[in-house]
Amino acid sequence: MRELRVTKWVAAVPMMAIALATIYPLIFTLNVALKTRHEYILDRFSLTESLRWDNLGAAWTSGGISRYFINSLIVVGFAVALLLLFGSMAGFALSHLRFRGSRTLFLACLAALFIPFQVIMVPLARTMADTGLMDTYPGLILAYVAQFLPFTIYLMASYYNGIPAEIVDAARIDGNGPFGVYRRIMVPLGAPALLSVGILDALFCWNDVLIALLMMPSAQHRTLMIGVTSLRGQYSSDIPTFSAGVLIAAVPVLAVYLFFQRQIAEAVTAGSMKG
Amino acid sequence: MPIGDAPPLVRPIVGRANRPAITSHRGRARWERLAPYLLIAPAVLVIVLFRLWPLLLGVNFSFTGDGDRNGTPVGLDNYTDLWNDPVFRIALRNVGLLVLLLPVAVAIPGLLATFIFLRVPGNRLYRTVYFFPAVLSPVIIGSIFNLLLAYDGPLNELLQTAGLGSVDWLGDPKVAIFTVVGVHIWATFGMALVVFLAGFATLDTTLLDAARSDGASLPQVIWHVIVPGLSRTIQFVFVTTMIGMLTSMFGLLYVMTSGGPGGSTYLPEYYIWIQQGQMNRPALASAASTVLFLVMLVVGLAQIGLLRKAGRED
């Protein structure tokens, strides 16, 4: 026992070091974003003296981040709303209603979970171009919904499986049809799962690079992440302003993480538990 | 769930007072039968149209030509082109490298989770901090590391002050792929860590206490109690980490190396993007997609097979 306790303290040292290595790059970026160019060239590591918030302003306006930010908000907002609506409806049907072909449909959903986007992106781009959805908001939103829906359905269905059938039966006896049960039972009782899955879906969409790059070629439609990559060329000699842009793109995600850490961990692990 | 026309879950309610009981009953029954399909229709439509159908279309597409031969069947030409393309071979070789590095990528979060589980001082803090990078986009992570790892950047400055030479982290073809994989592991080990911790929560602690009171050392406890107890979790982490390495490094490659230097950091997903987007060879890209899909299938199944076998021998 004593040996184990000593091991624990020994282990704490590298663990602290890893924790620092995990957090330091972010702190470095924050510090650089508040420096002047001159300060950065003289000494990258020293704490900023000037607290230049203007870098953030410069990235926001002349860097074009404001536009990209709004684009991302629009796309992520609609995509997550549709994902939760479609995902909870399908999850409810697959977990509590019996119908011909339900098993096949569930398996099709699972299969779709294992199709990576890289494998379908070429034909998808062609389909999107043929239907006029390329380089439009609805096109990108649809691409996101298609990408993350299998995951959303899977998690919603497994959450709804935990709601006892008696509750559904009771609601039925009270005169509710399937849609009534969905609206009055499944939506309110599923709220915790909807929150977890919704946050994770939002993170996935917000952070995506490949799908946005494929679907939104024109500059005014860029999402925030693509905007950040374009910022690099624009500010290659002005590292502080570039860092400020990176920081603006990271802050919403970090805020969401700090507030909803538990929900995110739940959603990440929910998939692993079912095996 | 049985297939077939199962009876509706509800016992049908006898008609409402103000309506003829029979028609109401019949209309209601039909509505009941239809409802599940209506509920699932949007999801099925989206998944079939934008995921399953493109998969078939893509495989089919990979047997047609590009450019002048657009749309005409060309047999296996795209696949031989792929095989003869040195860049694609590098991409495949890099996949092999990822498979070799996989145990490292699984062991790091596994060990860290073990220590957190054993309540190393400060375990709650570590839990929060380690997951931090996992929520950030590869674009943000790549951008930050571009700054840190530049040849004249802070890390090399630090190495020089310490008396060590500079390393061209992203410019040396021998080093760059390891740099990118390292950053990817840095960015994603928190995900696997959380999964491991959830697995630990289901571990039978009486076994652990027994091993400890028998005086088992930490490596013994890990090898004889924790690894067998978590075999399902470990299996899951292996497969998801592999999928992550093969399908979510695009952002880092795009931001950090653009496949360079000298094509040394190409992975199949980056190759697909370049052929589709920049070289205008979508059919060739489709062939590469099909190869990637098969590679993932083979690697995934082989892993599950190997791990099952290893589990049985214990």
Side-chain angles (χ1 to χ4, degrees):
Chain A
M1 285 303 260
R2 181 172 302 145
E3 189 211 349
L4 207 62
R5 197 167 303 147
V6 174
T7 323
K8 274 188 204 172
W9 277 100
V10 173
V13 176
M15 290 190 74
M16 198 62 199
I18 294 176
L20 283 176
T22 309
I23 211 83
Y24 182 72
L26 299 171
I27 294 171
F28 177 83
T29 311
L30 171 69
N31 190 36
V32 171
L34 300 176
K35 284 188 173 194
T36 62
R37 270 168 77 176
H38 190 64
E39 260 185 287
Y40 179 75
I41 293 163
L42 282 182
D43 188 350
R44 307 162 215 253
F45 297 105
S46 68
L47 268 182
T48 172
E49 284 162 23
S50 44
L51 278 182
R52 272 177 44 112
W53 298 104
D54 342 1
N55 287 337
L56 293 172
W60 182 257
T61 50
S62 53
I65 290 283
S66 58
R67 178 68 205 250
Y68 307 144
F69 200 95
I70 292 167
N71 285 344
S72 272
L73 278 183
I74 295 171
V75 171
V76 174
F78 276 102
V80 171
L82 286 176
L83 277 166
L84 292 182
L85 180 67
F86 294 172
S88 60
M89 278 164 47
F92 163 52
L94 289 171
S95 59
H96 279 276
L97 302 177
R98 294 190 201 161
F99 54 99
R100 192 190 285 269
S102 66
R103 181 137 188 91
T104 318
L105 285 175
F106 186 67
L107 288 177
C109 251
L110 270 186
L113 201 57
F114 292 101
I115 304 174
F117 184 75
Q118 288 83 349
V119 170
I120 57 163
M121 70 183 233
V122 179
L124 186 70
R126 178 158 287 200
T127 310
M128 289 291 188
D130 288 346
T131 46
L133 286 168
M134 193 55 117
D135 209 14
T136 63
Y137 291 109
L140 183 58
I141 291 165
L142 257 178
Y144 281 148
V145 172
Q147 178 65 21
F148 302 119
L149 194 53
F151 166 79
T152 309
I153 293 175
Y154 176 69
L155 285 200
M156 287 317 294
S158 50
Y159 186 83
Y160 283 150
N161 265 328
I163 294 180
E166 289 76 33
I167 294 184
V168 177
D169 289 348
R172 290 277 183 117
I173 292 164
D174 286 347
N176 286 301
F179 287 96
V181 174
Y182 171 72
R183 211 157 45 89
R184 293 194 188 92
I185 309 287
M186 290 299 157
V187 173
L189 285 187
L194 287 169
L195 180 65
S196 290
V197 181
I199 289 167
L200 211 58
D201 279 336
L203 283 179
F204 287 156
C205 297
W206 183 268
N207 287 342
D208 161 73
V209 199
L210 183 54
I211 302 176
L213 212 51
L214 182 79
M215 290 298 303
M216 292 295 213
S218 62
Q220 83 268 21
H221 285 154
R222 277 180 193 143
T223 60
L224 184 54
M225 293 308 138
I226 310 302
V228 169
T229 66
S230 70
L231 214 59
R232 190 167 54 132
Q234 206 177 334
Y235 290 100
S236 55
S237 63
D238 184 357
I239 301 297
T241 306
F242 173 67
S243 300
V246 171
L247 197 67
I248 295 174
V251 160
V253 173
L254 294 179
V256 165
Y257 173 61
L258 288 177
F259 274 110
F260 297 106
Q261 199 185 337
R262 198 170 52 84
Q263 281 81 0
I264 293 172
E266 269 167 17
V268 169
T269 49
S272 71
M273 290 290 94
K274 310 286 165 187
Chain B
M1 236 179 269
I3 306 175
D5 218 359
L9 276 173
V10 246
R11 314 113 187 78
I13 296 160
V14 186
R16 299 245 167 84
N18 57 351
R19 268 202 243 154
I22 304 219
T23 46
S24 158
H25 187 139
R26 204 178 275 161
R28 208 178 157 120
R30 176 185 288 171
W31 185 233
E32 287 277 337
R33 257 206 309 281
L34 227 75
Y37 296 103
L38 289 175
L39 279 165
I40 205 169
V44 168
L45 214 64
V46 169
I47 290 177
V48 169
L49 275 181
F50 296 106
R51 284 186 80 82
L52 299 178
W53 178 241
L55 182 67
L56 296 178
L57 215 62
V59 173
N60 192 31
F61 201 38
S62 72
F63 295 107
T64 67
D66 280 316
D68 294 341
R69 299 200 291 168
N70 188 14
T72 55
V74 297
L76 290 171
D77 280 10
N78 287 318
Y79 291 91
T80 49
D81 279 5
L82 273 186
W83 185 246
N84 292 326
D85 185 346
V87 177
F88 189 70
R89 286 203 192 188
I90 295 177
L92 285 183
R93 205 197 56 205
N94 283 340
V95 168
L97 187 73
L98 291 181
V99 175
L100 290 178
L101 289 173
L102 187 62
V104 180
V106 175
I108 293 173
L111 270 178
L112 292 174
T114 308
F115 284 122
I116 291 178
F117 173 69
L118 293 173
R119 305 211 180 284
V120 159
N123 61 80
R124 269 159 200 271
L125 175 78
Y126 297 141
R127 219 187 157 112
T128 306
V129 170
Y130 289 164
F131 196 74
F132 238 101
V135 295
L136 289 173
S137 169
V139 165
I140 291 171
I141 287 161
S143 302
I144 293 176
F145 276 93
N146 271 347
L147 293 181
L148 290 172
L149 300 174
Y151 190 64
D152 57 350
L155 184 61
N156 277 339
E157 201 180 307
L158 220 63
L159 285 178
Q160 269 168 348
T161 347
L164 303 160
S166 295
V167 179
D168 199 354
W169 298 105
L170 295 168
D172 184 336
K174 287 204 187 76
V175 178
I177 183 73
F178 290 98
T179 307
V180 179
V181 175
V183 172
H184 177 76
I185 294 176
W186 176 87
T188 54
F189 79 96
M191 281 276 182
L193 183 95
V194 168
V195 174
F196 271 122
L197 286 174
F200 272 116
T202 64
L203 200 66
D204 186 3
T205 47
T206 53
L207 225 65
L208 213 63
D209 293 338
R212 277 198 210 171
S213 57
D214 284 351
S217 69
L218 186 65
Q220 281 174 325
V221 170
I222 291 178
W223 193 246
H224 294 292
V225 181
I226 293 178
V227 169
L230 290 185
S231 60
R232 283 182 75 87
T233 308
I234 295 173
Q235 196 171 316
F236 181 83
V237 172
F238 256 96
V239 174
T240 48
T241 307
M242 190 70 234
I243 293 176
M245 279 180 154
L246 287 179
T247 61
S248 54
M249 281 184 55
F250 175 84
L252 285 182
L253 295 176
Y254 181 74
V255 173
M256 293 180 76
T257 66
S258 307
S264 63
T265 55
Y266 261 83
L267 281 175
E269 53 173 331
Y270 196 75
Y271 185 88
I272 296 167
W273 157 254
I274 289 291
Q275 294 301 336
Q276 141 82 16
Q278 319 304 120
M279 309 305 235
N280 203 17
R281 293 204 57 187
L284 184 68
S286 285
S289 294
T290 312
V291 172
L292 174 63
F293 191 51
L294 291 176
V295 167
M296 290 184 60
L297 220 59
V298 169
V299 171
L301 291 176
Q303 266 173 10
I304 292 173
L306 274 176
L307 291 166
R308 284 243 170 91
K309 211 170 152 198
R312 229 177 282 136
E313 273 165 14
D314 259 325

